[in-house]
Amino acid sequence: ETGVTQTPRHLVMGMTNKKSLKCEQHLGHNAMYWYKQSAKKPLELMFVYSLEERVENNSVPSRFSPECPNSSHLFLHLHTLQPEDSALYLCASSQESVGTQYFGPGTRLTVL
Amino acid sequence: RKEVEQDPGPFNVPEGATVAFNCTYSNSASQSFFWYRQDCRKEPKLLMSVYSSGNEDGRFTAQLNRASQYISLLIRDSKLSDSATYLCVVNNAGGTSYGKLTFGQGTILTVHP
C-alpha cells in the first residue's frame, strides 16, 4: 500500500543534530497528522494540519517543528532532541473530520 | 481517568477460540468510534468502524453502547493471523474539519496453534 509514505524509515541522531521527517499522502485528503508512539504508551497526537493550516498543537516541545507546504506533504523538523524523544513517529491523513485516518509506515527514531 | 481505556492483556488463545475485547471512553460527546489493528513494528490499520446498531465484518463484530460509553470487539474462530495489538479509537472531532482521534493503549492478542 502506498497511500501514505514516510521517509526515512529509521533514523539515529545525536542530541545536537538537526534532521527532518517527511510524509507524503497520495489520497487527495485535506488533513494530515503527526503522532508519536512510545513504548508501552498509546499513540499521542502531536500536530494537525487542515487545509494546510496548523489547527492543533498538543503541547509539543518547540524542538519539534512541523511544516505543511501543500496538502500532500508534511514535514517534522527535529533539533536538539532528547533521548526520551526516541519513538515511532507516524504520519496520517484523512478527508474531513469523520473520515478514516490512514497511517504511513512510520519513522523509528533513536536519539543518542 | 484515561480518555480511552482498554485491558492491555495479553490475551493468549488457541486457534478457533472466540475472544472479546472491551473499551471504555470518558467523553460523552465523542462522535465516532473505531477498532484499529497494529502488527508488531507496523503502522495502525483500520479494522472496522463501530456503530450504535452494532456491525459485523466476517468473523469480527463490534458493538457500541453510548449510554455506558463502552465499545467491544468480538473475534470468532480466531486465526493465527489475528495475532496483533487491537486499538480502541475514539474521534472527538466536535464540529471541526479534521479528526481528533484518541487511542487506547491497545490489547495484545496472541493466537497459538
Side-chain angles (χ1 to χ4, degrees):
Chain A
E1 292 181 23
T2 58
V4 182
T5 58
Q6 288 186 244
T7 55
R9 296 292 305 277
H10 301 273
L11 178 62
V12 179
M13 59 187 288
M15 289 191 285
T16 58
N17 292 156
K18 288 185 180 181
K19 296 286 184 183
S20 295
L21 310 185
K22 179 182 175 182
C23 175
E24 185 172 358
Q25 60 99 357
H26 311 272
L27 301 169
H29 290 165
N30 61 8
M32 296 186 77
Y33 311 78
W34 279 117
Y35 289 88
K36 175 183 178 182
Q37 188 173 34
S38 305
K40 310 278 188 199
K41 293 175 73 174
L43 271 81
E44 302 169 59
L45 180 63
M46 300 174 71
F47 300 104
V48 182
Y49 276 82
S50 176
L51 299 172
E52 300 161 40
E53 184 180 335
R54 192 192 312 179
V55 292
E56 292 275 337
N57 177 344
N58 283 357
S59 304
V60 179
S62 59
R63 57 186 184 268
F64 294 91
S65 174
E67 179 190 0
C68 186
N70 56 60
S71 60
S72 300
H73 293 86
L74 186 65
F75 294 89
L76 188 62
H77 304 299
L78 316 171
H79 64 97
T80 58
L81 294 192
Q82 306 297 310
E84 60 265 28
D85 296 322
S86 298
L88 180 67
Y89 289 85
L90 291 156
C91 172
S93 71
S94 73
Q95 182 64 22
E96 303 299 340
S97 62
V98 295
T100 300
Q101 288 192 20
Y102 293 87
F103 286 82
T107 295
R108 190 161 296 280
L109 173 68
T110 303
V111 182
L112 301 176
Chain B
R1 181 183 173 186
K2 293 179 185 175
E3 286 192 61
V4 180
E5 197 143 8
Q6 294 180 248
D7 178 351
F11 286 65
N12 291 294
V13 302
E15 274 186 288
T18 296
V19 61
F21 303 141
N22 303 318
C23 170
T24 57
Y25 60 96
S26 61
N27 185 351
S28 59
S30 296
Q31 297 182 311
S32 51
F33 309 88
F34 310 90
W35 284 100
Y36 274 73
R37 170 194 168 130
Q38 187 171 24
D39 292 293
C40 188
R41 305 185 76 81
K42 297 286 187 71
E43 73 274 22
K45 293 187 178 180
L46 179 69
L47 179 65
M48 58 197 303
S49 301
V50 189
Y51 304 113
S52 296
S53 54
N55 49 302
E56 188 173 308
D57 182 2
R59 299 181 292 110
F60 299 84
T61 301
Q63 295 274 356
L64 166 65
N65 184 323
R66 283 190 182 269
S68 303
Q69 295 177 209
Y70 171 90
I71 305 161
S72 66
L73 177 68
L74 183 76
I75 305 176
R76 291 181 299 279
D77 188 23
S78 300
K79 310 291 184 192
L80 296 176
S81 57
D82 293 334
S83 298
T85 298
Y86 290 83
L87 303 169
C88 177
V89 185
V90 174
N91 189 357
N92 299 309
T96 61
S97 62
Y98 53 92
K100 291 186 68 174
L101 298 188
T102 302
F103 286 76
Q105 188 176 359
T107 299
I108 298 171
L109 171 67
T110 301
V111 181
H112 57 83

